[in-house]
Amino acid sequence: MTTVKDMLATYPADLGSVDREKLSRCIEECIACAQACTACADACLSEGMVGDLAKCIRTDMDCADICNATASVLSRHTGYDANVTRAILQACATACKACADECGRHTGMEHCRICAEACRSCEQACSDLLQALG
């Protein structure tokens, strides 16, 4: 059991028909992606050609913020609004794809490779949950 699963299990009301596995995976992937993007942006700032990495840094920071917001929204269930959940999941998947694509352009940088993998994994988790929500 993870902390995310433990917290979902303690929710006193019915979560409805939401797939708890996909929900918990998505929250975990968002948190991991936000951390990877934050660390990648910081690593880019330490590179010698930091000026050439401005778009990567910006994309990393945007993705980290959106992933953090998505994890927060998905962690709240009282007064649930399916339209808001769908919108933020779509935004998160879009941001993750953009970040993975941008980091993928920097093949010689290990931090960008790791970040791109985290973004792709988060994008997939968001898409899977979106599909499960219908």
Side-chain angles (χ1 to χ4, degrees):
M1 246 349 206
T2 65
T3 301
V4 172
K5 288 179 184 176
D6 288 345
M7 288 306 296
L8 288 173
T10 67
Y11 188 68
D14 182 18
L15 288 176
S17 62
V18 68
D19 184 323
R20 286 181 187 235
E21 282 299 313
K22 288 182 180 176
L23 177 61
S24 63
R25 179 175 169 256
C26 192
I27 294 168
E28 289 168 352
E29 292 290 347
C30 285
I31 293 166
C33 189
Q35 189 281 327
C37 289
T38 299
C40 186
D42 185 64
C44 285
L45 289 169
S46 295
E47 294 287 351
M49 71 293 206
V50 69
D52 296 336
L53 297 171
K55 183 175 180 185
C56 190
I57 295 165
R58 168 61 190 263
T59 305
D60 281 336
M61 293 170 64
D62 287 349
C63 191
D65 287 345
I66 292 168
C67 285
N68 278 322
T70 303
S72 293
V73 168
L74 293 178
S75 295
R76 294 188 287 262
H77 305 287
T78 303
Y80 172 75
D81 185 328
N83 292 325
V84 170
T85 300
R86 284 187 195 94
I88 200 158
L89 283 167
Q90 185 60 56
C92 192
T94 299
C96 287
K97 181 180 181 342
C99 195
D101 290 348
E102 180 58 31
C103 281
R105 290 183 180 89
H106 308 285
T107 56
M109 295 180 203
E110 186 68 2
H111 54 85
C112 281
R113 183 194 65 74
I114 293 167
C115 186
E117 285 180 9
C119 289
R120 285 187 189 95
S121 185
C122 188
E123 177 189 9
Q124 186 62 56
C126 287
S127 295
D128 290 348
L129 183 56
L130 245 170
Q131 188 175 30
L133 293 175

